[in-house]
Amino acid sequence: ASSVGSSLILAAQITKAEEQTKHCCQRPKMDLEDAPQEDPNAGLSVGTVHAAFILSAAVAVALTFGKDLIKGKLSTNSDVGGQTPQFKAFQRTYLTVYLLMMAGDWLQGPYMYALYDAYGFKHEEIAALFVAGFGSSMLFGTVAGSLADTLGRKRGALAYVVVYAASCVTKHWRSYEVLMFGRVLGGIATSLLFSVFDSWLVAEHASRGFEPAWLSTTFANAQAGNSIVAILSGVLGEWIAGTTPMRVLVAGSSGGEDAAPDGAIMWGGYCLPFDAAAVFLLIGGAVIMTTWNENYGDTKQSSGADGLRESLTKGLLLLARDRRVLLVGLVCSCFEAAMYAFVFEWTPALTAANAPRPPYGEIFAAMMLCCAAGTRLFGFLAESRGPEDFARPLFVVASLFLLAPVIAPSNYVLALVAFLLFEGVVGCYFPALGTLKSKIVPDAQRSTIYNIFRVPLNVLVLLVLLSKLPTQTVFAVSALLLLAAAILQHMLFAAMRGHADVLDAHGVDAKDPLVSV
């Protein structure tokens, strides 16, 4: 998320998908006299959610265009800092590819659980499929990143396209074994998504001689575009899934239309968003093949198994030798683990017992608007302070936001406001840490280091998935993780000030200010 995604985020609406599946699969319903009476005044009202969405949209628009409107003109990020036409063309090419890749990821998330449930699998079996995805990302991600550094980041990006498209194809099989294989492929693809593309961008940006400060505008635009793509993907996926009902294309062992996991090949319904995702991935792959140059990590190291071993060894030695690299990795692991835990728990935290279900889709859209607003906030903050500085108080504030459902579990309006503000911090986090990692992590082992960062992240996520902690406990743990991220960020800030005379990964003074975004 992953956002992304894992995305950026694979399970953003698992609970919502479960509720949709209950309707789509026509599950038996209890008698009206046995059903608990709903209190229309309990929980979040539709009007409250509408107001939150409108306010979120207004904040996003104000942060995006407000300063330019005050000055009496509209401008874009590409006009800032004397950026050249060559850089603007390069940025457009990268953003086109990145957003196509993220669309391929976002289209799958809301329908993963729904598809498995429609195939007749039990909740425990579905949970094992999700665990397999995170587990494969943890086990194979580091190797995949090292291979990309050794064999080439462009090849790594194309491998992401092929592996993730193959994972989408497996969703047509009503077979647990095939779906488990698809989840393993999906985990590997997720590791590539969150390492190879950033690594290619940073190396190519430097090799073309662009100003280092311009890199932050690309990270910010990528995150802002990602939020918009998430919203559009949700709308497109819902429309596609409803165009035709799911049916058997090739009969399985039972030879029928029932929902038994019999190995049948299915078509339509919840399969279609995965087909659309594969199409976006393949289009992006074609753009990569025709427009991207190849770049590598350490070109002096060996190829094959020896090169892979050497890349991993150098990455681990770098973590042990350079405190800044270790700290930025721990910051990412703590913050993103809290973010994923939030993804799993925000739906039940906003759902009152014996109350009508709030419009989850609209809440999710409001969150993405706040995330987009956060990327604009990054631009304002970066005009005067470096991300290593302003990230510290942001992480502390974010931890307070996630304490809302712990302190007042029945105040759903307070929780909604706190969650929207937290998403604003998430929107600011990604370009800030992307900029920091581009300064601190050497290009030679960039993909390897990025995937090593994901090992503790995936361990923490697996612990959350498998522990079955109460919702309030999960939010309390998440707040502690964010507080830990703030402490680690303060240590990183001190370490970077102590290395002010040391050049960053591209030979640029680490104190160079960032331009506005």
Side-chain angles (χ1 to χ4, degrees):
S2 268
S3 98
V4 143
S6 124
S7 359
L8 164 328
I9 301 170
L10 181 64
Q13 290 177 293
I14 290 179
T15 306
K16 177 191 172 188
E18 191 173 8
E19 292 296 327
Q20 290 174 331
T21 306
K22 290 178 182 178
H23 172 72
C24 294
C25 297
Q26 298 180 347
R27 299 275 178 93
K29 299 176 181 177
M30 63 175 66
D31 295 334
L32 289 177
E33 58 269 20
D34 297 329
Q37 295 298 315
E38 291 185 345
D39 180 3
N41 296 318
L44 287 173
S45 68
V46 174
T48 299
V49 175
H50 286 343
F53 178 84
I54 293 170
L55 184 59
S56 300
V59 170
V61 170
L63 286 175
T64 303
F65 302 112
K67 186 167 69 172
D68 293 320
L69 288 173
I70 291 173
K71 293 178 179 179
K73 64 182 182 70
L74 285 176
S75 65
T76 63
N77 290 339
S78 58
D79 298 325
V80 177
Q83 295 170 358
T84 64
Q86 292 80 5
F87 171 75
K88 296 173 188 176
F90 166 75
Q91 187 182 71
R92 283 194 298 270
T93 300
Y94 173 77
L95 291 176
T96 298
V97 169
Y98 179 77
L99 295 179
L100 284 169
M101 299 300 105
M102 293 309 302
D105 189 50
W106 279 116
L107 278 165
Q108 300 179 54
Y111 300 97
M112 195 79 72
Y113 192 105
L115 180 76
Y116 296 152
D117 193 54
Y119 282 169
F121 296 112
K122 298 177 182 177
H123 179 76
E124 294 77 12
E125 294 173 317
I126 297 173
L129 289 170
F130 278 94
V131 168
F134 286 106
S136 69
S137 179
M138 179 178 64
L139 293 175
F140 301 117
T142 303
V143 176
S146 300
L147 285 173
D149 280 335
T150 305
L151 302 178
R153 279 74 176 267
K154 177 180 177 179
R155 291 188 181 94
L158 291 173
Y160 164 80
V161 171
V162 173
V163 171
Y164 218 7
S167 175
C168 292
V169 172
T170 63
K171 301 303 184 290
H172 286 275
W173 269 262
R174 197 161 63 186
S175 163
Y176 194 73
E177 291 75 16
V178 174
L179 293 172
M180 179 65 75
F181 177 64
R183 288 298 301 130
V184 171
L185 293 178
I188 297 172
T190 300
S191 292
L192 291 170
L193 173 63
F194 292 108
S195 60
V196 171
F197 291 89
D198 278 8
S199 299
W200 181 91
L201 168 65
V202 174
E204 193 68 17
H205 183 101
S207 69
R208 298 193 183 197
F210 297 135
E211 289 292 329
W214 295 349
L215 189 60
S216 62
T217 67
T218 305
F219 282 122
N221 287 336
Q223 182 60 25
N226 186 32
S227 300
I228 296 171
V229 166
I231 298 170
L232 296 178
S233 296
V235 174
L236 178 63
E238 186 172 355
W239 174 75
I240 292 175
T243 55
T244 179
M246 188 184 296
R247 64 181 185 274
V248 174
L249 186 64
V250 178
S253 58
S254 68
E257 292 278 348
D258 63 305
D262 57 355
I265 300 176
M266 308 298 292
W267 173 257
Y270 291 138
C271 293
L272 295 180
F274 295 93
D275 296 335
V279 170
F280 279 108
L281 292 169
L282 294 173
I283 293 173
V287 178
I288 291 172
M289 291 182 66
T290 56
T291 63
W292 281 26
N293 299 323
E294 185 61 276
N295 62 53
Y296 301 87
D298 189 350
T299 56
K300 297 180 181 179
Q301 67 187 27
S302 307
S303 58
D306 290 338
L308 176 60
R309 240 185 337 263
E310 190 175 345
S311 180
L312 281 170
T313 301
K314 286 185 176 180
L316 293 172
L317 286 174
L318 178 64
L319 286 172
R321 186 175 63 249
D322 193 332
R323 189 163 175 257
R324 297 173 303 161
V325 178
L326 176 62
L327 286 171
V328 76
L330 291 175
V331 168
C332 292
S333 295
C334 288
F335 186 95
E336 292 178 31
M339 181 185 70
Y340 275 106
F342 166 78
V343 164
F344 300 141
E345 297 291 347
W346 72 261
T347 303
L350 294 179
T351 305
N354 302 330
R357 295 286 185 256
Y360 297 120
E362 190 171 358
I363 294 173
F364 178 72
M367 288 179 177
M368 292 301 98
L369 285 167
C370 289
C371 194
T375 65
R376 316 314 301 178
L377 176 64
F378 164 77
F380 290 121
L381 294 174
E383 290 181 355
S384 56
R385 303 168 68 184
E388 65 275 9
D389 185 9
F390 66 71
R392 297 177 296 165
L394 274 181
F395 294 165
V396 174
V397 172
S399 69
L400 297 177
F401 293 153
L402 291 194
L403 284 176
V406 179
I407 298 171
S410 298
N411 193 332
Y412 300 103
V413 174
L414 175 64
L416 175 61
V417 172
F419 291 172
L420 293 175
L421 292 172
F422 175 73
E423 282 293 336
V425 176
V426 171
C428 188
Y429 161 84
F430 279 106
L433 267 292
T435 302
L436 272 180
K437 288 188 291 185
S438 72
K439 284 185 174 186
I440 295 172
V441 181
D443 190 58
Q445 284 85 38
R446 188 174 301 278
S447 294
T448 301
I449 293 294
Y450 283 7
N451 275 297
I452 290 175
F453 291 169
R454 295 188 65 80
V455 172
L457 165 63
N458 283 305
V459 169
L460 291 169
V461 171
L462 286 172
L463 288 175
V464 172
L465 277 174
L466 298 174
S467 62
K468 299 181 180 179
L469 294 172
T471 297
Q472 287 178 268
T473 304
V474 171
F475 277 106
V477 171
S478 300
L480 289 175
L481 285 170
L482 290 171
L483 191 58
I487 295 171
L488 291 165
Q489 183 65 37
H490 180 72
M491 295 169 65
L492 175 61
F493 174 70
M496 291 185 70
R497 292 186 66 182
H499 288 76
D501 58 331
V502 177
L503 301 184
D504 70 7
H506 307 296
V508 179
D509 193 310
K511 294 180 67 177
D512 276 354
L514 298 174
V515 297
S516 63
V517 181

